[in-house]
Amino acid sequence: MTDLNPTRRTVLCAVAGMSVLPDVPQNALAQTPPSHTALSVTLRINGADIARPIEVRTTLLEFLREQTALTGTKKGCDQGSCGACTVHIDGHRVVSCLTLAARCQGHEVTTIEGLAQGDVLHPMQAAFVAHDGMQCGYCTPGQVMSAVALVKEGHTGTDDEIREWMSGNLCRCGAYPNIVAAIRDVADHTPARG
Amino acid sequence: MSEQTNTIGHAIDRVDGRLKVMGHAKYAAEFANTDVVHAVLVQSTIAAGTILAIDALVARSMPGVIDVITAENAEKLHKAPEIQQAISFPLLQSNEVLFNGQHIAIVVADSLQQAQEAAATVVVRYRPQDAVTSMEGRDGDQRKPSKKLNGKFEIDSATGDFSSAFEAAPVKISATYKTPVEHHNPMEPHATIAAWSGDKLKVWTATQGISGTQQTLAGFFGLAENDVTVICPFVGGGFGSKGNTWTPVTLAAMAARHVKRRVKLEITREQMFFSNGYRPQTRQALKLAADRDGKLLALRHDGVIATAMPGAGEFAEPVALISRMLYACPNISTSHRLIDINQSLPTYMRGPGEASGSFALESGMDELAVALDMDPVALRMRNLIDSDASEGKPFASKPLAECYTKAAEAFGWSRRTPAPRSMKNGRMLVGMGMATTSYPTNRMKASAEVAMLQDGTVIVRCGTQDLGTGTYTTMAQVAAAELGVSPDRVRVELGDSRLPKAPVSGGSMTTASVLPAVQEAATAVREALFDMALKAKGDQWHNLDRTALTLDNGAVVGPNSQLGITDLLAQASLPSLSRKVEATPSDEADTFSRHAFGAQFAEVHVDPDFGTVRVKRWVGAFDVGRVINAKTARSQLIGGIVFGIGMALMEETRTDRASGRFANANIADYLIPVSADIPDINTIFVETGDPITTRLGVKGIGELPTVGAAAAIANAVYHATGKRIRDLPIRLDKVMA
Ligand code: FES
Ligand code: FES
């Protein structure tokens, strides 16, 4: 994941540095308006290649929500603090609001829409339904993506460990106990790694 | 009826669960995403004054920017309709600034990034004025609210003679409690997509009340209600913040009309702190007096509440209502006063009034128990009352004693040793605390339409909302039970203003308002099918008592034979049979005081060296009336307790005194509970039913579990540490102070 490390913030700064920002309004018309190079990217999302022209500063979250129909990934804060936008990149969980779309080329992106096999829910999705690990459902895609990754990471030793490693995903409806129960259920039915 | 069709009370899966876990449930910002342009709001950076000029030359020249809308070029709106949901400030109708963070311009551009960047270049010149940025030191400006509380309750109340009773009483306490500004922070930011076609407006918006939004927009734009369509099939949490039609909704519609394009306006998490209300700051003075046996003799509860400057509206958090009705006490006096400050308008937030008010009353009851050297549960039991003295009416139902007993037993209250600091777990100080909860059982009129199709599918249509409370599911269950089908044969349509009208999803009233309408409409369909069956069977079922008929799995079943609905409708050449009903609360209901009750028990562990408070266990027993769905009801109770834990231990929006701006306006610095903060939560349903409010016996449970939670924790912290914290949230610095 090292090549995904630059955050949106650092890249935004770089972009701002490169362009001419109109900080003196009265001279504005004489200045070159900032231009954000359009890039043509091809991202591999849920097993399909999606090619789009984008502005360099487009986050993966914006790419998914605004430039494709993949609105299952949610925007809760756009600042990396709520986890609603969690997706998998090469099987690892990341917050897509702090990930630049352009940096995802050559990687496998999986979103909530890519989890089920057709109509058959992923076991974690089924467990969330069975344990009612949701209310409004807005944090749910992010919770499910985090939960799937967490089981793979092996952080299900105790319920407290699950709680700790799920604490990057906020749920204002307070579905936490049911989410823990869903994860516990899946973990108990998942063969240990290795 | 077989088990499978009547699932009332069962723990069936949420019918919209699949959509939600697959990412296919669509929220406001996710509709109509093609051919949409983006609006970004520019906010004021002063708290009071006048805008002299807005220089948007640069913004207008930037790539992709379509226009910048300010008070200069914004359309003049009609007067707001006279409904509480209509928020009329700030809507770019004047140059007045009444709070920091006020919306003062809209930038519209082809892409969100372009609009954001352009918005950052807008330069505003102000003539600032002195701003009131805190209620501290402003007691001289206290004023009475201009309207009754919640539209119906007196601002002040007095029964008996508080002063002399308090004076003469042998045991008394007197204390002041404070609650801070708190923000709802639903996970879904408020978003609106607005599209005009001619003089017709369609909006997809995140709202707890599609009808209120429809009325508000129709009012502001001078349209007939039917010319405004509001769509909202899913709401990503509301908690009160999406009850009103806040100005970004109207601004989105203004922008769409201005640029003649479909406009999307998603406010940022930071803007959520300035745009859609919050729980206002309160200071509450409480006096309680009792005889030596713990019988209450006098109670006084005076609330001082911060609100916005009058030009921005008024909201009075009704903190002392709960003190008027919860306990038997002959001498009660309550009051509510406001202090206007330069901040955006506060509003209802989960358990409005009661959540803040019960922190004072239920902490005070604990202090009184200590003064009496009496068990806190016993003190409450001693002061039970069957009727609501403030309204002079009996309670429709009140199994509060049972709530105390069941919760205390499940919690193991008898193991508690009363002295502070007397219980330990390793290094940790253990505290056990409890509090009472209560919230009104509200019901308003609602309409629903139920249709039986030839193939046995049932369609339920109602213009209500599902905020995650399980409304889709309970509507399906009620229709299924009446019509003898399994709930998965029921398709529920809600969240569309073209559907039969239902009230705002607030005040915990959706279940009690909407389900009776669904039930009555479904009953009407059933009776119509019986009529058809009796006619079709002619002599065979001649003179048959219709109570001998049932509907089961697609057939009208009578003695010795049955008649398939498919055939019945086909013979009558009806593709479907539908009935629409408006269900209204009975007049009899008005002769009762209707509330839900409950008991909250918390165990905390406090670190003696660091003052950190961890909630370790929770038991709540709740007077839920009757449960429709045990799974979604339990989720709601748990969620409400989690909300209360946040209120007790972390939530506080802080104001920068110099600028009047909310300083921690993001969801990293505004702390809400995360998974690691939440222990196992045991919720107990006390189902004695409420025969008065609805035939179903339900009570609203959305707010009930939040009320009392903060006091239960504060009382537990006192038990653990001997330290009484009367100022929320209970942070470690206050524990160590
Ligand atoms: S939207 Fe990405 S963490 Fe909140
Ligand atoms: S289900 Fe609503 S925020 Fe988690």
Side-chain angles (χ1 to χ4, degrees):
Chain A
M1 296 302 295
T2 44
D3 48 347
L4 285 163
N5 267 346
T7 64
R8 181 177 55 147
R9 212 171 294 257
T10 56
V11 175
L12 272 181
C13 293
V15 170
M18 286 184 299
S19 60
V20 186
L21 277 182
D23 50 355
V24 191
Q26 55 273 34
N27 293 338
L29 292 177
Q31 292 187 351
T32 320
S35 73
H36 292 283
T37 332
L39 277 181
S40 211
V41 296
T42 303
L43 302 195
R44 196 160 177 77
I45 302 174
N46 301 329
D49 285 330
I50 301 182
R52 292 279 188 279
I54 60 164
E55 293 183 42
V56 285
R57 57 190 166 175
T58 305
T59 62
L60 177 58
L61 177 63
E62 291 299 333
F63 184 88
L64 294 169
R65 284 176 69 79
E66 302 296 338
Q67 266 149 303
T68 76
L70 296 169
T71 55
T73 304
K74 304 302 181 198
K75 185 200 277 187
C77 67
D78 214 18
Q79 293 177 323
S81 42
C82 77
C85 65
T86 305
V87 299
H88 294 175
I89 296 182
D90 300 334
H92 300 276
R93 46 176 164 165
V94 298
V95 283
S96 60
C97 70
L98 297 189
T99 306
L100 284 166
R103 304 299 304 233
C104 297
Q105 294 195 91
H107 298 274
E108 287 281 343
V109 179
T110 309
T111 70
I112 190 72
E113 290 93 343
L115 216 51
Q117 302 285 330
D119 261 0
V120 183
L121 296 183
H122 182 283
M124 190 61 79
Q125 290 172 310
F128 266 64
V129 174
H131 291 275
D132 208 33
M134 77 199 88
Q135 289 174 48
C136 77
Y138 197 80
C139 73
T140 311
Q143 301 277 2
V144 170
M145 295 309 281
S146 255
V148 168
L150 165 132
V151 172
K152 250 179 48 188
E153 292 158 13
H155 291 308
T156 56
T158 62
D159 284 0
D160 275 346
E161 193 183 0
I162 294 176
R163 289 186 177 106
E164 191 63 39
W165 287 87
M166 283 301 289
S167 283
N169 288 82
L170 302 182
C171 175
R172 188 55 158 162
C173 297
Y176 298 128
N178 293 355
I179 292 170
V180 173
I183 297 171
R184 163 66 45 226
D185 195 355
V186 173
D188 288 350
H189 292 93
T190 305
R193 283 193 308 168
Chain B
M1 253 175 262
S2 61
E3 271 296 291
Q4 169 205 6
T5 62
N6 187 351
T7 60
I8 305 281
H10 297 198
I12 71 165
D13 289 348
R14 194 180 284 273
V15 297
D16 47 339
R18 263 182 84 86
L19 281 180
K20 285 175 173 171
V21 298
M22 294 179 87
H24 294 153
K26 274 185 156 224
Y27 300 81
E30 297 161 5
F31 284 87
N33 264 352
T34 50
D35 193 31
V36 69
V37 296
H38 298 261
V40 164
L41 297 172
V42 178
Q43 297 168 279
S44 70
T45 52
I46 63 164
T50 308
I51 297 167
L52 297 177
I54 295 185
D55 181 352
L57 262 182
V58 172
R60 284 202 172 89
S61 74
M62 287 170 72
V65 173
I66 301 166
D67 206 348
V68 178
I69 308 165
T70 68
E72 293 302 307
N73 59 347
E75 70 175 291
K76 292 296 160 237
L77 297 172
H78 295 247
K79 220 169 101 44
E82 293 286 319
I83 55 169
Q84 178 240 311
Q85 283 96 332
I87 305 294
S88 53
F89 188 90
L91 285 172
L92 309 184
Q93 302 295 297
S94 76
N95 284 321
E96 191 179 22
V97 175
L98 293 178
F99 59 89
N100 200 324
Q102 175 181 322
H103 309 311
I104 53 174
I106 316 169
V107 179
V108 189
D110 289 331
S111 80
L112 177 63
Q113 290 84 358
Q114 289 166 334
Q116 281 168 339
E117 184 167 5
T121 68
V122 172
V123 178
V124 185
R125 280 197 301 125
Y126 303 97
R127 185 187 308 120
Q129 279 161 12
D130 285 345
V132 183
T133 60
S134 163
M135 61 191 266
E136 302 309 323
R138 287 272 161 184
D139 282 332
D141 297 338
Q142 283 188 24
R143 68 171 174 95
K144 268 192 152 183
S146 64
K147 291 186 281 278
K148 285 190 173 181
L149 305 169
N150 288 350
K152 57 183 171 189
F153 298 106
E154 296 301 332
I155 293 161
D156 298 342
S157 77
T159 50
D161 178 355
F162 168 80
S163 299
S164 20
F166 187 78
E167 206 55 42
V171 184
K172 47 192 130 182
I173 64 114
S174 172
T176 298
Y177 302 88
K178 291 182 182 171
T179 64
V181 169
E182 293 161 13
H183 275 82
H184 314 75
N185 275 310
M187 290 316 300
E188 178 203 21
H190 291 229
T192 302
I193 297 172
W196 289 86
S197 87
D199 270 341
K200 294 197 192 317
L201 170 63
K202 185 168 183 178
V203 298
W204 292 261
T205 191
T207 176
Q208 293 174 232
I210 52 176
S211 341
T213 304
Q214 182 191 38
Q215 278 174 271
T216 303
L217 293 173
F220 279 133
F221 293 103
L223 304 173
E225 264 177 46
N226 285 343
D227 289 338
V228 178
T229 305
V230 181
I231 310 282
C232 181
F234 291 98
V235 190
F239 317 111
S241 72
K242 291 168 180 163
N244 293 330
T245 307
W246 293 98
T247 56
V249 182
T250 310
L251 291 171
M254 287 169 73
R257 183 131 95 171
H258 189 96
V259 301
K260 300 190 172 53
R261 297 284 297 275
R262 174 178 287 192
V263 162
K264 169 142 98 174
L265 198 168
E266 241 182 314
I267 65 173
T268 64
R269 179 58 59 183
E270 182 186 7
Q271 288 171 339
M272 296 275 291
F273 285 76
F274 302 89
S275 309
N276 33 259
Y278 52 89
R279 201 195 294 279
Q281 189 181 0
T282 76
R283 195 182 66 227
Q284 305 172 53
L286 187 83
K287 291 185 195 305
L288 293 172
D291 68 16
R292 296 206 188 278
D293 295 328
K295 266 222 125 340
L296 282 173
L297 297 173
L299 186 168
R300 178 170 181 153
H301 191 165
D302 298 309
V304 182
I305 303 123
T307 193
M309 284 295 163
E314 179 181 304
F315 176 74
E317 180 93 11
V319 290
L321 292 183
I322 192 166
S323 289
R324 295 180 188 171
M325 49 63 67
L326 196 55
Y327 298 115
C329 179
N331 304 291
I332 300 179
S333 158
T334 67
S335 73
H336 297 84
R337 292 294 178 271
L338 297 175
I339 295 178
D340 303 336
I341 60 175
N342 288 97
Q343 248 163 16
S344 53
L345 181 65
T347 193
Y348 303 98
M349 178 161 158
R350 202 167 193 169
E354 278 77 2
S356 304
S358 67
F359 171 61
L361 177 62
E362 288 300 291
S363 294
M365 286 295 280
D366 203 68
E367 300 204 42
L368 184 64
V370 171
L372 285 159
D373 195 17
M374 189 171 174
D375 178 80
V377 179
L379 173 63
R380 287 164 174 89
M381 286 283 208
R382 173 124 336 143
N383 291 290
L384 284 172
I385 184 167
D386 290 337
S387 64
D388 179 341
S390 70
E391 294 199 35
K393 296 171 184 175
F395 287 116
S397 76
K398 189 184 178 188
L400 180 55
E402 196 178 335
C403 293
Y404 291 135
T405 316
K406 286 199 159 146
E409 190 186 320
F411 185 79
W413 183 254
S414 58
R415 293 201 314 271
R416 176 182 185 264
T417 53
R421 303 183 83 93
S422 63
M423 300 182 78
K424 287 223 171 95
N425 183 324
R427 298 179 43 247
M428 296 298 161
L429 299 169
V430 173
M432 295 184 180
M434 59 81 57
T436 311
T437 171
S438 178
Y439 192 77
T441 301
N442 294 312
R443 177 179 174 188
M444 280 172 74
K445 78 169 182 231
S447 303
E449 184 178 4
V450 171
M452 173 70 90
L453 308 193
Q454 265 194 23
D455 69 357
T457 304
V458 173
I459 302 194
V460 181
R461 309 174 76 234
C462 175
T464 182
Q465 305 71 218
D466 187 336
L467 321 184
T469 48
T471 307
Y472 276 109
T473 312
T474 53
M475 284 168 75
Q477 286 179 271
V478 166
E482 292 298 319
L483 294 171
V485 299
S486 127
D488 56 23
R489 298 303 305 275
V490 181
R491 207 169 75 217
V492 175
E493 295 174 12
L494 56 73
D496 185 324
S497 61
R498 292 164 295 195
L499 297 169
K501 279 215 182 320
V504 62
S505 291
S508 295
M509 68 178 150
T510 300
T511 302
S513 303
V514 165
L515 294 192
V518 173
Q519 189 182 35
E520 285 176 34
T523 308
V525 168
R526 188 184 63 211
E527 293 304 312
L529 287 168
F530 286 174
D531 287 341
M532 290 170 72
L534 287 169
K535 215 158 116 201
K537 281 281 191 180
D539 289 346
Q540 214 187 326
W541 284 358
H542 185 60
N543 279 340
L544 191 71
D545 180 358
R546 59 197 299 131
T547 57
L549 299 180
T550 56
L551 264 184
D552 196 23
N553 285 311
V556 179
V557 183
N560 310 321
S561 68
Q562 61 178 48
L563 226 171
I565 287 167
T566 309
D567 293 343
L568 206 53
L569 294 180
Q571 275 161 25
S573 303
L574 288 174
S576 70
L577 177 80
S578 76
R579 290 289 180 271
K580 187 176 152 186
V581 162
E582 181 181 89
T584 42
S586 70
D587 292 340
E588 190 202 2
D590 273 345
T591 63
F592 288 87
S593 172
R594 293 171 292 127
H595 288 261
F597 298 89
Q600 309 259 30
F601 285 72
E603 178 177 316
V604 301
H605 288 190
V606 182
D607 188 306
D609 299 317
F610 297 107
T612 44
V613 179
R614 308 278 304 164
V615 179
K616 294 309 254 189
R617 266 178 344 113
W618 200 282
V619 178
F622 301 98
D623 158 33
V624 295
R626 185 170 173 212
V627 167
I628 302 295
N629 184 320
K631 200 173 271 197
T632 55
R634 201 171 297 287
S635 287
Q636 225 183 340
L637 293 176
I638 289 172
I641 291 164
V642 171
F643 215 86
I645 292 174
M647 179 180 184
L649 296 179
M650 0 184 146
E651 298 189 31
E652 175 178 25
T653 311
R654 313 186 77 169
T655 301
D656 172 42
R657 287 285 292 263
S659 66
R661 201 171 176 84
F662 290 131
N664 54 335
N666 64 73
I667 207 160
D669 295 315
Y670 181 92
L671 301 181
I672 66 168
V674 300
S675 193
D677 297 316
I678 301 306
D680 286 334
I681 292 176
N682 178 4
T683 55
I684 299 168
F685 299 138
V686 175
E687 278 191 272
T688 48
D690 169 352
I692 306 297
T693 310
T694 66
R695 183 147 62 94
L696 285 158
V698 298
K699 293 188 178 191
I701 55 170
E703 342 246 351
L704 185 67
T706 299
V707 178
I713 291 174
N715 298 342
V717 168
Y718 171 80
H719 181 233
T721 63
K723 188 146 208 142
R724 179 68 63 182
I725 293 167
R726 303 186 182 91
D727 178 14
L728 292 181
I730 303 169
R731 284 193 317 251
L732 52 88
D733 52 317
K734 298 177 193 171
V735 176
M736 296 309 283

